């Protein structure tokens, strides 16, 4: 895209456009063009005041305001296809939410006969090393576990050595990226193993800058969840291994599940790194529908505040998808954190 075209779009937006709908279309195109050329530009969540009458999206946008740090949200009702997106097309650090894709890549290998769930592999245990002292953090083999146990540890307890064990088995980050691209998620990007990611964490503040390494968009992660749940990627037996572990996830009690009514079934996976927290998963409504949700929060001042943002957004989505015509979750939008 030429800079002249971007300049013309910017001028049109500055001078004003008589039609509101035309103005929003031009602004969206400008943002897309700008991001395509300068992919590290940070945008605050836009106003939804004139973009339709579905109160839920406006409510979520208010909760996910960017004043305290970037917040990205994507949700989709897997029955109706109705979506909510706030910075859903902007990259955020995946942190440990990437572990779902690693597990899915491994399960594809099981289906192709490369290994089995009873195959045993060693934990990849990190060795102490200085930050940025090497391209890849040193690790040593540890205790052997069956693959099904490694998946359980990496998802329910977010074990990094278990994750790196299976990441090595499947062929490293490139193999997981290839799996994601084959399944319609080309902007999914694992760059480093977990040992290296954790050792070198903090190099870039995700609330202020976008790092394309080890990142994905909330929309991409929502598609990962939807495809896994709907059986688009794996057979029923394979997806139950992953979704079952997600249902038993022990981390993030104050995130997606934090404000939901008691007894709501949630299958999820958390992620935590410097100045960022995330949670992605499937929420089930009382009428039997499944809602895929991906929430990525940066900044906000503290970990408890980030967790609270995730919880309030998840509750607004849970309520709103059951009553989309109402001004759902007004109390959450007005909450102070």
């Amino acid at each position: 895209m030429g800079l002249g075209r971007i300049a013309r779009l910017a001028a049109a937006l500055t001078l004003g456009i008589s039609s509101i709908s035309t103005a929003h279309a031009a602004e969206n195109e400008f943002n897309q063009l700008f991001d395509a050329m300068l992919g590290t530009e940070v945008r605050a969540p836009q106003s939804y005041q004139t973009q339709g009458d579905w109160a839920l999206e406006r409510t979520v946008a208010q909760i996910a305001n960017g004043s305290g740090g970037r917040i990205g949200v994507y949700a989709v009702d897997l029955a109706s296809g109705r979506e909510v997106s706030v910075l859903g097309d902007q990259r955020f650090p995946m942190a440990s939410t990437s572990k779902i894709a690693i597990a899915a890549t491994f399960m594809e290998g099981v289906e192709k006969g490369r290994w089995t769930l009873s195959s045993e592999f060693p934990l990849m245990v990190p060795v102490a090393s200085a930050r940025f002292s090497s391209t890849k953090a040193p690790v040593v083999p540890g205790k052997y576990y069956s693959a099904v146990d490694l998946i359980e540890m990496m998802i329910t307890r977010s074990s990094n050595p278990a994750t790196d064990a299976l990441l090595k088995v499947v062929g490293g980050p490139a193999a997981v990226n290839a799996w994601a691209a084959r399944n319609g998620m080309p902007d999914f990007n694992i760059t480093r193993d977990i040992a290296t990611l954790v050792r070198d964490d903090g190099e870039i503040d995700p609330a202020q800058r976008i790092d394309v390494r080890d990142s994905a968009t909330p929309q991409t992660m929502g598609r990962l969840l939807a495809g896994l749940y709907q059986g688009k990627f794996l057979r029923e037996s394979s997806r139950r291994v992953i979704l079952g572990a997600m249902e038993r996830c022990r981390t993030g009690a104050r995130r997606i599940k934090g404000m939901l009514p008691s007894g709501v079934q949630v299958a999820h996976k958390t992620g935590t790194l410097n100045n960022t927290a995330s949670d992605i998963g499937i929420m089930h409504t009382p009428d039997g529908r499944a809602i895929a949700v991906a929430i990525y929060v940066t900044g906000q001042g503290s970990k408890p505040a980030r967790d609270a943002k995730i919880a309030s957004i998840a509750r607004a989505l849970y309520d709103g998808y059951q009553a989309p015509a109402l001004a759902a979750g007004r109390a959450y939008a007005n909450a102070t954190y």
Side-chain angles (χ1 to χ4, degrees), residues 44-55:
Q46 61 185 336
S47 169
Y48 286 83
Q49 302 252 338
T50 59
Q51 296 197 6
D53 59 357
W54 195 22

Side-chain angles (χ1 to χ4, degrees), residues 56-228:
L56 174 58
E57 194 160 44
R58 295 194 300 274
T59 296
V60 172
Q62 289 171 354
I63 302 171
N65 73 80
S67 59
R70 295 188 305 129
I71 299 177
V73 181
Y74 178 81
V76 57
D77 181 341
L78 299 183
S80 69
R82 199 163 200 178
E83 300 173 298
V84 170
S85 181
V86 177
L87 295 188
D89 62 346
Q90 195 170 106
R91 286 183 176 272
F92 287 81
M94 285 188 288
S96 288
T97 63
S98 67
K99 293 173 182 178
I100 296 175
I102 295 171
T105 304
F106 179 84
M107 291 308 303
E108 181 186 70
V110 170
E111 293 182 358
K112 292 182 176 181
R114 295 174 183 165
W115 39 74
T116 71
L117 285 172
S118 61
S119 299
E120 293 191 346
F121 306 102
L123 298 173
M124 290 289 107
V125 181
V127 177
S129 61
R131 293 178 70 201
F132 315 120
S133 60
S134 57
T135 303
K136 187 175 183 300
V139 295
V140 295
K143 184 178 179 179
Y144 278 74
Y145 287 91
S146 67
V148 70
D149 287 340
L150 291 171
I151 291 173
E152 185 76 7
M153 288 188 286
M154 68 188 276
I155 293 179
T156 65
R157 297 193 291 271
S158 205
S159 167
N160 295 334
T163 304
D164 280 341
L166 292 187
L167 184 60
K168 180 179 180 180
V169 170
V170 300
V176 183
N177 294 339
W179 176 87
R182 287 197 307 274
N183 287 287
M185 296 168 283
D187 60 352
F188 179 99
N189 179 34
I190 296 180
T191 310
R192 296 162 286 189
D193 64 5
I194 304 299
T196 308
L197 177 65
V198 171
R199 185 195 68 177
D200 296 343
D201 184 28
E203 180 182 5
I204 292 175
D205 182 357
Q208 302 297 326
R209 291 178 54 193
I210 296 174
D211 187 354
V212 299
R213 297 174 302 172
D214 303 289
S215 70
T217 65
Q219 185 177 59
T220 286
M221 301 308 282
R223 289 173 177 168
L224 170 62
L225 293 168
L228 180 63

Side-chain angles (χ1 to χ4, degrees), residues 12 15-23:
L15 293 173
I17 304 174
S18 59
S19 166
I20 292 294
S21 60
T22 301

